[in-house]
Amino acid sequence: MLPLTHNANSFACHADCLPPALSREEESWGWLLHPAFAGRAALQDDAAMGALDEVLAVQGAGLVNSAMWEI
């Protein structure tokens, strides 16, 4: 419950195992959706936290931005 109660949401990766396409890029939530990680990335199975992680990944990948949510 650490992410939920302390807002300590994060991801981790092993730098030695990064695909060459990402080794020089700044870390991003968008990496969860990068084709190089297909079948190798996972989200929290808690729906509330997993959904937020997915939103961060979609935004980090540049598929949406905050301006799209304005009314």
Side-chain angles (χ1 to χ4, degrees):
M1 296 303 289
L2 186 62
L4 184 62
T5 58
H6 296 285
N7 197 25
N9 212 352
S10 62
F11 70 93
C13 60
H14 195 289
D16 295 339
C17 297
L18 283 177
L22 298 176
S23 63
R24 297 183 191 270
E25 289 187 26
E26 185 176 341
E27 296 162 346
S28 169
W29 280 97
W31 285 9
L32 290 172
L33 302 176
H34 195 282
F37 287 123
R40 298 172 52 192
L43 294 171
Q44 273 273 2
D45 71 350
D46 179 275
M49 289 184 277
L52 293 175
D53 292 347
E54 187 173 356
V55 169
L56 290 169
V58 170
Q59 189 172 16
L63 300 173
V64 298
N65 62 45
S66 59
M68 296 175 90
W69 302 107
E70 294 179 10
I71 295 176

